[in-house]
Amino acid sequence: MDISSGDDSDISESEMEEYEDKSYEKLKNGKYTVMVSDETYTCPYCPKSNKQKYRYKDLLQHASGVGNSSSAKRKPRVKANHLALARYLETDLVPVVSSSKPVVEEDPPSGCDHDEKIVWPCTGIVVNIPTRRSADGRSVGESGSKLRDELIRRGFNPVRVHPLWNFRGHSGTAVVEFRKGWPGLHNALSFEKAYEADHHGKKNWGANDDVKHGLYAWVARADDYNASGIIGDHLRKIGDLKTISELMEEEARKQDRLVSNLTNIIETKTKHIKELEAICSETSKSLEVLMEEKENLLQAYNEVPFADGSLHRVCYMSLLFLYNTVIKKIQLSAREHFQKISSDHEKLKSQLETHKKELELRGVELEKREALNETERKKLAEELEQNAVQNSSLQMAALEQKRADENVMKLAEDQKRQKEELHNRIIQLEKQLDQKQALELEIEQLRGSLNVIRHMGDEDDKEVLQKIEASLKDLREKEGELEDLEALNQTLIVSERKSNDELQDARKELINGLKEISRRANIGVKRMGELDGKPFLEAMKRRYNEELAEERASEMCSLWEEYLKDPDWHPFKRIKLEGEEEYQEVIDDEDEKLRDLKAEMGNEAYKSVTLAIKEINEYNPSGRYVISELWNYREGRKASLKEGVEFLLELWETVKRRRGMT
């Protein structure tokens, strides 16, 4: 039974405690269903649209998170119901859980995508942290320890909360670090679900529907890890991207190594015990021989008659005394040796028992993981069956890709040929322009001659009229030729612009396609004007510890990136080099900012900034922002479109050969 469609009337904050007690009594009396099976539970207070099955610990964290939520959207009645549910789980359902299969926190979560990449160790992101302006103009906010304590009270058990700072101060964001292993992953996912339940998750933060109030939080994944900005930079420093499947494989390898090591230890201890048992057996045999000799001596002594206290009897008694003394020492030594062997045996036995219990626990865990892997394997088999139908379409897609690559190569060749044709046409246009100017001059001369003839000749003179008609005819022919040349010139200009636009579009598409290629390749994409932060980090490491150095270096890099974007800062001067006719722009070494940077951070940081400003001044002086350019890393220059297309085709051939080998 659930109350998801029950009374929607609300209560006041002061009535929450009384309402919580009533809800708790209803749960104890079995009015609502909480336990679905031995391992699955449900929340009777959530709407039907949000209902899902929980494990015991997940439901406890859900109930505690909603009940202790500080969101104003949560009604007091909903909080009171969930607090009563948490109380019921902690006090009344614990025996039920302990009598069935124990809740093992060391298992990977089953309710999430095992192939989705997450930041490992598990890391959460918190945004919209309130900040305020301090007296010096920098932003300040609450410390990470306060937010960590709050998350611990809510049951998420973070290890550390690290606020992120930039050159303006507190950025209003923080990174939450959880423990390594499956418990940390469970806590991180519960942390994310709690904020999603309050409508303060990642999707809500990205929505542009209303003004954001309160904290928004989620678990860091691949898009956050690869994002540019202060969050992505910090995540790449502290963690790596891994899938749950990869983590399970790594954990299985660790378990195999542990089992192998423990097996070797057990074999060594067993061998040692056998050696001790052999020593004990030999010692027992020696004692039995000594006891037998003692009995023989006593018997011989009793059989010898002594009439008086002769010397023979005294000697015999002395030897017997010495013999007893030696026997006692041997017995004492043997007793101590046995005690030592017994204590060592007990220690080894306890260690073996401990290792045995650990192996049994590991065996149970491995069985569970094998079952989980079998389930995942079945899902994978179903997906493979579904994808088998798509193999033909994938092959067609590969052929289409090959045709597209051939078309790109053909396009590049066509563009090259068109460019050469355009170059030849430009040369022709220049010649035709000269012809046009000569025709215009000749036309003007003809018009002048015509005017002279008209003024000097007589209208009745037939010879003059014939010259006028001939001049007019030549003039019309020259004007017609001039109009044809102008039309051809205009057509060639339009064709050249269209071809140039197509070349630029092809270059942009090639740059977008090669952005993910490693810099170790000869041809790739270089971000012109991007500031290299390594020199700043090295300079800060010489002054501070590693953690503080990273923070200071990040602040300095952000500050200089703002300087590079500033259009009013132009640290160049114009000089005329020897043998050159035109002036050239070079870095002004007397610039105050650059001079202070070199003195404070060193020559390497100075080189990084000057290289970035040179690239911006050359490739994007008006926009002053970083742009991507096709680059030849081997020769250190801008790559041509032909070089980029040839590299792309070589890469395609390499990938095709690898696929053929597999």
Side-chain angles (χ1 to χ4, degrees):
M1 178 179 179
D2 62 69
I3 58 169
S4 58
S5 60
D7 186 15
D8 291 336
S9 61
D10 206 356
I11 59 175
S12 62
E13 294 286 346
S14 59
E15 298 173 336
M16 278 184 58
E17 186 174 354
E18 182 180 356
Y19 193 85
E20 177 187 346
D21 294 336
K22 293 180 180 179
S23 298
Y24 174 67
E25 291 297 329
K26 292 178 181 179
L27 288 169
K28 285 183 64 176
N29 295 331
K31 187 174 182 180
Y32 305 127
T33 301
V34 177
M35 188 173 179
V36 179
S37 65
D38 291 343
E39 296 183 352
T40 56
Y41 300 81
T42 185
C43 177
Y45 300 113
C46 288
K48 290 183 178 178
S49 58
N50 294 336
K51 281 197 178 297
Q52 55 179 309
K53 294 182 180 180
Y54 299 88
R55 295 193 307 175
Y56 174 81
K57 185 170 183 64
D58 294 335
L59 180 59
L60 180 59
Q61 289 183 346
H62 163 75
S64 300
V66 176
N68 296 316
S69 173
S70 58
S71 174
K73 296 181 180 180
R74 293 289 185 190
K75 294 182 179 180
R77 180 177 59 82
V78 175
K79 294 181 181 179
N81 284 332
H82 281 81
L83 287 173
L85 176 59
R87 180 177 167 190
Y88 174 68
L89 289 170
E90 290 177 342
T91 57
D92 296 278
L93 282 187
V94 172
V96 177
V97 175
S98 60
S99 62
S100 60
K101 291 179 93 174
V103 179
V104 181
E105 287 192 24
E106 296 296 328
D107 288 341
S110 57
C112 61
D113 187 0
H114 285 202
D115 294 326
E116 182 182 22
K117 290 190 175 182
I118 61 174
V119 177
W120 190 262
C122 285
T123 306
I125 298 174
V126 180
V127 298
N128 207 33
I129 299 175
T131 59
R132 65 182 186 279
R133 290 282 183 182
S134 61
D136 58 357
R138 289 170 60 85
S139 298
V140 295
E142 295 181 350
S143 65
S145 58
K146 186 174 181 181
L147 180 56
R148 181 197 62 193
D149 295 340
E150 180 182 350
L151 295 176
I152 290 175
R153 285 195 299 271
R154 295 181 64 179
F156 303 131
N157 302 321
V159 176
R160 182 187 178 197
V161 176
H162 182 77
L164 301 181
W165 293 69
N166 54 24
F167 67 98
R168 295 188 182 92
H170 199 297
S171 63
T173 59
V175 170
V176 183
E177 299 176 7
F178 294 91
R179 290 181 297 166
K180 290 185 178 180
W182 303 128
L185 181 57
H186 280 284
N187 290 328
L189 294 177
S190 300
F191 158 82
E192 183 179 55
K193 290 178 182 177
Y195 278 92
E196 286 179 351
D198 288 340
H199 304 289
H200 278 229
K202 186 175 184 178
K203 292 182 180 179
N204 307 105
W205 174 249
N208 296 322
D209 50 355
D210 55 1
V211 180
K212 304 296 189 295
H213 296 288
L215 302 181
Y216 289 75
W218 59 88
V219 174
R221 290 179 171 83
D223 53 346
D224 304 302
Y225 184 87
N226 296 322
S228 59
I230 191 170
I231 295 178
D233 293 340
H234 186 79
L235 292 176
R236 287 189 288 273
K237 292 175 185 176
I238 65 172
D240 298 312
L241 283 178
K242 292 184 179 181
T243 63
I244 295 179
S245 299
E246 292 173 349
L247 294 173
M248 290 172 64
E249 292 176 0
E250 183 178 346
E251 186 68 18
R253 288 194 297 270
K254 291 181 180 178
Q255 296 300 329
D256 292 339
R257 287 198 298 269
L258 177 61
V259 171
S260 177
N261 293 335
L262 290 175
T263 303
N264 293 334
I265 291 173
I266 291 172
E267 291 177 354
T268 304
K269 298 297 183 184
T270 304
K271 184 178 179 181
H272 184 58
I273 289 173
K274 290 181 179 179
E275 291 176 355
L276 292 176
E277 290 177 350
I279 293 172
C280 290
S281 177
E282 292 177 0
T283 306
S284 299
K285 290 180 180 179
S286 300
L287 287 174
E288 289 177 359
V289 172
L290 289 173
M291 293 301 295
E292 186 177 353
E293 291 178 356
K294 179 184 177 182
E295 292 295 332
N296 293 333
L297 287 173
L298 287 174
Q299 185 177 359
Y301 171 75
N302 293 327
E303 291 176 354
V304 176
F306 292 101
D308 52 6
S310 64
L311 180 61
H312 179 70
R313 182 181 179 89
V314 174
C315 292
Y316 180 80
M317 293 299 293
S318 299
L319 290 173
L320 185 60
F321 175 76
L322 291 174
Y323 178 80
N324 290 332
T325 304
V326 172
I327 289 297
K328 288 180 180 179
K329 288 182 179 181
I330 292 174
Q331 289 176 344
L332 180 61
S333 176
R335 190 180 299 111
E336 292 176 353
H337 184 64
F338 275 119
Q339 289 177 353
K340 183 178 180 181
I341 291 174
S342 178
S343 61
D344 291 341
H345 181 73
E346 291 296 328
K347 289 180 181 179
L348 290 173
K349 186 177 179 181
S350 62
Q351 291 178 0
L352 287 174
E353 289 293 332
T354 304
H355 290 318
K356 183 179 178 182
K357 291 179 180 178
E358 292 179 356
L359 287 173
E360 289 176 352
L361 291 175
R362 297 297 183 184
V364 173
E365 294 174 9
L366 287 174
E367 289 177 358
K368 291 182 179 179
R369 290 179 186 175
E370 286 176 359
L372 182 61
N373 288 336
E374 184 64 27
T375 304
E376 296 294 333
R377 198 175 294 110
K378 289 181 180 178
K379 290 182 180 178
L380 182 60
E382 293 175 357
E383 292 177 359
L384 289 175
E385 290 178 359
Q386 295 175 358
N387 293 335
V389 183
Q390 302 175 358
N391 284 338
S392 57
S393 61
L394 289 176
Q395 293 175 357
M396 294 296 295
L399 292 175
E400 291 294 332
Q401 180 67 32
K402 184 178 179 180
R403 293 194 192 101
D405 293 335
E406 292 175 354
N407 292 334
V408 170
M409 189 61 183
K410 185 178 180 182
L411 175 63
E413 293 175 355
D414 292 342
Q415 296 293 346
K416 181 180 179 182
R417 187 183 67 255
Q418 291 178 7
K419 194 171 183 181
E420 292 175 354
E421 292 176 355
L422 286 174
H423 183 67
N424 295 330
R425 288 181 183 177
I426 289 171
I427 295 174
Q428 293 177 2
L429 283 175
E430 291 176 351
K431 293 180 180 179
Q432 292 172 359
L433 183 61
D434 295 338
Q435 293 176 4
K436 177 183 174 183
Q437 293 174 352
L439 284 172
E440 289 177 349
L441 180 60
E442 188 175 353
I443 289 170
E444 291 298 326
Q445 290 176 352
L446 287 173
R447 285 176 178 170
S449 300
L450 182 61
N451 291 331
V452 170
I453 291 171
R454 284 177 176 173
H455 286 88
M456 294 181 62
D458 189 0
E459 292 182 0
D460 296 331
D461 193 344
K462 294 181 179 180
E463 185 179 354
V464 172
L465 290 174
Q466 289 175 357
K467 289 182 179 180
I468 291 173
E469 289 177 358
S471 299
L472 287 173
K473 185 177 179 180
D474 292 340
L475 181 61
R476 291 190 187 98
E477 290 177 355
K478 299 296 181 182
E479 287 178 346
E481 292 178 2
L482 182 60
E483 290 176 357
D484 292 340
L485 287 174
E486 287 180 351
L488 178 60
N489 184 26
Q490 189 65 29
T491 302
L492 291 175
I493 289 173
V494 172
S495 178
E496 181 186 9
R497 288 178 179 174
K498 183 178 179 181
S499 298
N500 188 47
D501 291 341
E502 290 177 353
L503 285 171
Q504 293 299 325
D505 292 339
R507 189 177 184 88
K508 288 180 181 178
E509 291 297 326
L510 188 59
I511 288 173
N512 292 332
L514 293 177
K515 278 185 178 179
E516 302 299 327
I517 302 299
S518 172
R519 286 195 176 185
R520 290 178 293 180
N522 296 332
I523 304 297
V525 177
K526 182 178 180 183
R527 291 173 58 83
M528 311 306 293
E530 186 174 39
L531 184 62
D532 185 8
K534 290 182 180 179
F536 291 89
L537 180 60
E538 295 299 326
M540 288 301 178
K541 282 183 178 180
R542 292 193 291 267
R543 303 182 186 180
Y544 308 101
N545 58 40
E546 185 172 358
E547 182 177 357
L548 189 57
E550 290 180 358
E551 184 176 340
R552 298 295 186 191
S554 176
E555 293 177 2
M556 288 298 296
C557 287
S558 300
L559 177 63
W560 277 99
E561 285 173 354
E562 294 297 326
Y563 287 158
L564 292 174
K565 295 177 184 177
D566 186 4
D568 296 330
W569 185 54
H570 191 74
F572 292 93
K573 61 182 179 181
R574 294 174 60 84
I575 62 173
K576 189 173 184 181
L577 301 176
E578 295 183 3
E580 299 288 340
E581 296 181 357
E582 297 181 355
Y583 284 89
Q584 295 184 359
E585 282 191 339
V586 297
I587 294 294
D588 185 5
D589 295 332
E590 300 301 323
D591 182 80
E592 183 178 357
K593 291 181 180 178
L594 292 178
R595 191 172 62 249
D596 294 342
L597 171 66
K598 191 172 185 179
E600 182 181 357
M601 304 297 295
N603 194 41
E604 294 299 324
Y606 170 80
K607 289 181 180 179
S608 176
V609 173
T610 53
L611 177 61
I613 191 65
K614 283 180 182 177
E615 292 176 348
I616 288 177
N617 193 49
E618 180 179 357
Y619 290 91
N620 191 14
S622 59
R624 302 280 287 198
Y625 55 83
V626 177
I627 63 172
S628 298
E629 185 58 71
L630 193 62
W631 196 257
N632 188 325
Y633 284 100
R634 175 184 293 175
E635 301 179 10
R637 61 171 175 80
K638 182 178 177 181
S640 65
L641 180 62
K642 179 181 178 182
E643 290 174 332
V645 173
E646 289 176 350
F647 171 74
L648 188 61
L649 290 177
E650 290 176 1
L651 186 63
W652 165 250
E653 290 296 331
T654 303
V655 173
K656 188 167 65 174
R657 285 196 300 271
R658 289 178 180 173
R659 288 181 179 175
M661 293 174 64
T662 56

